[in-house]
Amino acid sequence: MTLKEQLQKLATEKNSPCVTISLKTHRTHPDNAKDGILLKNLLKEAEERVINDFGKRPAAQLLEKIEAVGNEIDTNYNLDSLHIFLSNDTQEIVKSSWETSNGGVHISDSFAIRSLIKDYNRSENYLLMLLSQSGVQLFEVINDDIIKEVRNDDFPLSENSHYNTHSDRGSDSKHLDDLVREFLNKVDKALVKVHNETELKCVVVATEDNYSRLQQVADKPSAYIGYATIDYNNVATHHIAKQSWELVKAQQKQLRTDAIGEMQEAVSQGKVLTDLQEIYEASIDGRGELLIVHQDFAQAVIMKNERTFDLVDDITAPHAIDDITSMIAWEVISKKGRVIFTLQDEIKDLGEIVLKTRY
């Protein structure tokens, strides 16, 4: 199941109760030893709250899951955060390479999916091309993790076969340049074919000169994200994946900065909502084009009806939804809008949660 499919499943489930447990975790010993202790404490808290709010006998099936789920998690293989989603119908365990700002136990009639939405928005599926005149390989990547090597009629390409066969033209720089461009044109056409099939963009690991010439012959320059400089002494897959992810992360940060600028420009057009109630109603009506939430912002509510709510301070209050921003964010995403969680304080000039509407 992809992260998007998992998000869809969890976002649309309604159950009483839905238990979400989130915690910051560590990749290495001895810090990950503390993760097991914290998880045990959070599971105990979840058990006590479920018993207090719903009763031991009515919640017996869910309580069994809470008791057993800890045995399924090996803290020796933790990433940067851990998220557990439990109900009578669901048990999902998600390990994430992003830290959570929404830790703790969350209990309501829906799951607290804010952390998964952030994961989804900051996870990038793309192509990675290792380009040299000795050969070309293409990989599919998520973040800094290579999923598979693309193997088809074109990839991998062997070394540049467009070499000089005329001994009297060995010093003809234009002729040699033409041969390289012919090779790169072949590479580009093969890449564009994969791009059109997958809709994935490509990071190229190459020399600056080769990437520049590739761009000059490219049929579809927009298919390329950019390039990282090749180190011929280190072309191991884990190294080039890390190189490409640094480039993608920098681009993601720039996109978040651009989105804040877009939001600020939309103020003069009268398209920006800053009232939480108005933002929620616009999101469920499909009017949300761009939602920006400051990473530290969360707000518990109790729903009065399908469209309105009361703000509450106590997330353990009966029928409280721990964080309405999770629901708002999902409504925007599911209706083809964009959602950004950011630490950049420029957004606070408008508010800690703001929505640009389509109309």
Side-chain angles (χ1 to χ4, degrees), residues 173-188:
S173 59
K174 183 180 185 306
H175 176 62
L176 295 176
D177 186 60
D178 287 343
L179 292 176
V180 173
R181 288 175 186 274
E182 188 177 347
F183 174 66
L184 293 175
N185 188 48
K186 179 181 176 182
V187 171
D188 172 68

Side-chain angles (χ1 to χ4, degrees), residues 14-197:
K14 296 293 181 185
N15 229 316
S16 186
C18 289
V19 176
T20 308
I21 299 170
S22 294
L23 61 150
K24 179 181 177 182
T25 54
H26 304 83
R27 296 175 184 243
T28 57
H29 189 77
D31 290 332
N32 58 15
K34 303 172 187 175
D35 299 342
I37 297 170
L38 176 57
L39 175 60
K40 186 176 180 180
N41 291 338
L42 290 173
L43 288 169
K44 182 65 175 175
E45 178 187 338
E47 179 185 37
E48 291 173 352
R49 285 177 57 184
V50 167
I51 291 172
N52 290 338
D53 293 348
F54 299 93
K56 194 168 187 177
R57 184 169 295 175
Q61 183 180 346
L62 178 58
L63 289 169
E64 285 181 12
K65 287 186 176 182
I66 294 172
E67 183 178 0
V69 72
N71 296 326
E72 299 185 27
I73 298 166
D74 188 343
T75 55
N76 290 316
Y77 297 97
N78 278 342
L79 298 177
D80 298 305
S81 64
L82 174 67
H83 311 276
I84 303 170
F85 303 91
L86 299 172
S87 71
N88 284 340
D89 302 319
T90 295
Q91 177 172 309
E92 295 284 346
I93 299 168
V94 180
K95 293 184 177 183
S96 170
S97 56
W98 299 99
E99 288 188 12
T100 180
S101 58
N102 199 33
V105 177
H106 310 273
I107 300 175
S108 69
D109 61 359
S110 59
F111 289 116
I113 57 170
R114 174 189 180 116
S115 293
L116 279 198
I117 291 172
K118 287 165 66 177
D119 267 20
Y120 171 68
N121 280 345
R122 292 194 176 183
S123 291
E124 199 76 38
N125 192 191
Y126 58 97
L127 300 171
L128 166 58
M129 181 193 293
L130 177 60
L131 168 65
S132 70
Q133 290 184 44
S134 61
V136 184
Q137 289 175 276
L138 187 67
F139 304 92
E140 183 178 342
V141 186
I142 295 180
N143 296 352
D144 59 354
D145 186 19
I146 289 180
I147 304 303
K148 65 179 181 181
E149 182 175 359
V150 176
R151 290 183 172 270
N152 56 25
D153 292 341
D154 299 310
F155 292 105
L157 278 79
S158 58
E159 63 182 303
N160 183 2
S161 60
H162 301 280
Y163 52 82
N164 179 38
T165 58
H166 303 281
S167 58
D168 60 333
R169 302 182 67 182
S171 59
D172 185 341
S173 59
K174 183 180 185 306
H175 176 62
L176 295 176
D177 186 60
D178 287 343
L179 292 176
V180 173
R181 288 175 186 274
E182 188 177 347
F183 174 66
L184 293 175
N185 188 48
K186 179 181 176 182
V187 171
D188 172 68
K189 282 179 163 46
L191 180 280
V192 169
K193 190 188 299 184
V194 177
H195 166 72
N196 289 339
E197 291 170 357

Side-chain angles (χ1 to χ4, degrees), residues 133 177 180 184 206-214 216 227:
Q133 290 184 44
D177 186 60
V180 173
L184 293 175
T207 64
E208 181 179 3
D209 182 56
N210 275 341
Y211 182 71
S212 174
R213 287 195 279 189
L214 177 66
Q216 290 167 23
Y227 87 101

